[in-house]
DNA sequence: TGTAAACTGCAAACATCGTTCGCAGTTGCG
DNA sequence: CGCAACTGCGAACGATGTTTGCAGTTTACA
């Protein structure tokens, strides 16, 4: 449901209650159960709907690693656009056709790679994980709050805070990390 | 509360309700609010209590990278022991003294590294993320369920499944991935 | 010791949640 | 027209986190 996604984008996953979605649709909460079997169903649909934003998949031209990196970048973008997707990705639920299509597209890109399916499977999982990891880093930012905590027992932390803040280092770590990880996973030699 | 952690270990985070914890303590649900201000408070305490299992921190002998890898391994072990910790780590809540102590210990290990604090901060975040990533991989396993989905539209996926399963590749990818990531983040040259 | 103040435990109640039930109103079809 | 199937949804159920009010107990001080 587009309405549910709009609510989640605006106010987070917790705000996606059946009553809230129904209200946005100007109907009653019970009516939703004519189309959905449960709230979990709704969440699955949301995840799959948003997975469609990964399209169109890049054509596997040139290096397969380049193509995979481009796909991972798309994944990261989607996760930045919809931060609540992270919460969904951890639920053990049925994966939808869009997610499966993306999976298939990854396999297609990896077709020229000589590696067992298990390795490719793991590689896709890692790619997904790294994409989420970096998306969260940007989303959450430096929102660490040492609320009311005395930092004096932590000398190194204290010293670090007294250092003048410098420019963020961040050359494109995302791409480098992903490349070395995938290469390590899919090619016989080490990284 | 130890009781809450026991419940979470046994039945997952969702089972940690105020009433369930109170029942385990043979008391009433409302009584808990004499010691906790909310359920979120309880979850924060659980996370910090479990972070204490990261002790004792290794002495920074030899290479700092070796030591960090050892600490990341401890993190992964904790996440495997308490899978619900993953759900907690995504909440933007106050971090407790144990987590801060671990953070401080990481900084201590990184003391000989010539890098701005921001880079070290990111490195710790990445180390944490990778540890969780690998812990989840082992916990969740291959529990993907293409429940009732027709896979014929996904030719590469179909082909992959027809391949005979081979032994898991998994040389110690965890360590290699972590090393290259941390090195890339903390040293001037590329990985 | 006696009394007032403070603290503690907790049953009951409230708001909100996901979900189910049953009943009207509508539609489709012979 | 009549009947069956479908649709929308108010009301209610069970569970959740949290608040409230009231007893029972401990503490502090004259």
């Amino acid at each position: 449901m587009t309405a549910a996604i709009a609510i989640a984008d605006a106010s987070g996953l917790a705000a996606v209650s059946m009553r809230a979605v129904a209200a946005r649709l100007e109907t009653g909460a019970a009516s939703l159960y004519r189309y959905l079997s449960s709230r979990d169903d709704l969440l699955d649909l949301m995840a799959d709907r948003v997975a469609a934003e990964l399209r169109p998949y890049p054509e596997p031209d040139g290096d397969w690693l380049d193509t995979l990196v481009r796909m991972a970048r798309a994944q990261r973008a989607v996760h930045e656009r919809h931060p609540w997707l992270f919460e969904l990705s951890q639920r053990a639920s049925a994966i939808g056709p869009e997610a499966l299509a993306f999976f298939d597209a990854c396999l297609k890109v990896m077709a020229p790679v000589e590696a067992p399916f298990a390795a490719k499977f793991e590689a896709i999982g890692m790619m997904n994980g790294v994409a989420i990891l970096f998306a969260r880093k940007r989303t959450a930012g430096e929102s660490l709050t040492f609320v009311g905590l005395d930092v004096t027992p932590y000398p190194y932390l204290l010293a670090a805070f007294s250092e003048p803040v410098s420019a963020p280092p961040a050359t494109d770590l995302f791409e480098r990390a992903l490349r070395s990880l995938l290469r390590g996973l899919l090619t016989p030699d080490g990284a």
Side-chain angles (χ1 to χ4, degrees), chain A residues 82-153:
Chain A
H82 309 289
W84 45 269
L85 192 57
F86 174 66
E87 286 183 52
L88 286 193
S89 71
Q90 104 194 34
R91 304 183 330 126
S93 67
I95 66 181
E98 282 298 332
L100 221 52
F102 182 78
F103 201 99
D104 192 66
C106 288
L107 284 178
K108 178 180 179 185
V109 171
M110 291 185 194
V113 181
E114 285 270 357
F117 171 58
K120 295 182 180 181
F121 189 94
E122 291 219 331
I124 296 176
M126 285 297 142
M127 177 178 132
N128 189 22
V130 171
I132 292 178
L133 186 59
F134 276 82
R136 284 206 75 220
K137 190 186 64 161
R138 184 171 299 182
T139 298
E142 318 287 336
S143 69
L144 283 197
T145 47
F146 310 119
V147 275
L149 259 174
D150 186 15
V151 289
T152 43

Side-chain angles (χ1 to χ4, degrees), chain A residues 8 14 18 23 34 44 50 59-61 79 112 123 131 138 149 155 164 169 175 178 181-182 186:
Chain A
M18 302 306 266
R34 292 285 175 192
D44 286 347
V50 139
E59 279 306 304
D61 57 340
H79 274 275
R138 184 171 299 182
L149 259 174
E175 179 155 346
L178 193 57
L181 198 64
L182 290 181
L186 293 175

